[in-house]
Each structure stands twice: as C-alpha cells, then as structure tokens.
Amino acid sequence: MTDVHDTELKKDLAATLHARRDLGPEYESELVDSFLEKIDQRIDTAVERRLRRGLAEQQMQAARGARRPKGTDSWGERFGFGIVSLVLAIPLSAISGAFGGMTGVVVTWIGIVGVNTTQAVRLNPGLFHRPDRED
C-alpha cells in the first residue's frame, strides 16, 4: 500500500514540476502550495487511519478486559494443580521420611502447602485479605 502512495506522490511531484516548466516561475508558489496541500491531505488521512485503528484496539482491549480470561485461571487448571501436588506428595513424603525422618516429612509438607498457597494467591490475589468493615 505504501508503494502505491509513493508512486502517486512521485507522479504528483513530476506533474507539478512539469507544470512549473510549462507555466514558468511566476506560478511556482501556487504549484508548491497545491502540492503541499496534497501531502497534507495524505498525512491527515494516514494519521486519521492510525487514530481509528488505535481507538479500535483500545475498545477491543476494554471489551476483552470486561470478560474474565479463560486461559490461565480456569477451574481445570486449579483442579489439575491440586491433583498433581497430591500425587507428588506421596513419593516426596516417602523419600523425605526415609532420609530425614519426621523432620523431613514436616519440611516436605510445609513446601507442598507453600506451593499450593502461592498458586491459590496467584489466582485469587485478595484471598487472605479481610473485607473492610463498615462501622
């Protein structure tokens, strides 16, 4: 698209220069003003197009922001994360119990609870905050 506009602009410039040769230097300012007006119109059109595109993108983002995204905070992800952490807790508990005794098991479970708590807070940022009381 830019090539088409560049070609048109070159043709307009060539026509303006040709008209200047035919008409003489006394019409030079009118020809230059006419050519600059065409450039201004093209710039205005390009700026208007970009502004409309930007406004449309902002409206799309606002519309998407009103809906909850489906990707990262779905029920399936939360459920899957909980199941995987419990499945991995069994061998981790056995390994930590064999090498560290009861202290190893406690440390392992503190880690498992910590990971699950971090995941829960990531998905629900206000999870542990009390709602403000109205007195």
Side-chain angles (χ1 to χ4, degrees):
M1 215 173 177
T2 305
D3 293 336
V4 172
H5 291 297
D6 288 345
T7 305
E8 290 176 10
L9 194 59
K10 288 178 183 177
K11 286 181 182 178
D12 286 343
L13 180 59
T16 301
L17 292 174
H18 184 72
R20 187 205 176 270
R21 273 185 250 130
D22 289 346
L23 297 174
E26 59 271 359
Y27 290 101
E28 184 173 330
S29 65
E30 288 85 1
L31 292 170
V32 169
D33 288 343
S34 172
F35 181 71
L36 290 177
E37 187 176 317
K38 290 177 186 179
I39 291 176
D40 281 343
Q41 289 173 351
R42 290 206 176 121
I43 290 172
D44 289 345
T45 302
V47 168
E48 185 178 328
R49 188 180 322 121
R50 285 183 185 164
L51 287 174
R52 278 185 288 179
R53 186 180 312 136
L55 181 60
E57 288 174 2
Q58 287 177 353
Q59 290 172 343
M60 289 292 290
Q61 288 175 353
R64 288 181 185 149
R67 293 187 309 240
R68 189 174 182 165
K70 284 192 154 191
T72 59
D73 62 346
S74 68
W75 181 85
E77 181 186 353
R78 293 190 308 260
F79 183 72
F81 190 84
I83 293 294
V84 167
S85 75
L86 287 176
V87 167
L88 291 175
I90 296 168
L92 289 174
S93 297
I95 294 168
S96 65
F99 289 107
M102 189 55 140
T103 305
V105 173
V106 170
V107 170
T108 300
W109 275 94
I110 289 173
I112 292 168
V113 169
V115 167
N116 281 286
T117 302
T118 302
Q119 176 73 358
V121 169
R122 185 185 70 84
L123 295 175
N124 303 304
L127 186 63
F128 294 114
H129 296 291
R130 285 191 207 172
D132 292 336
R133 292 183 184 175
E134 292 181 22
D135 291 328

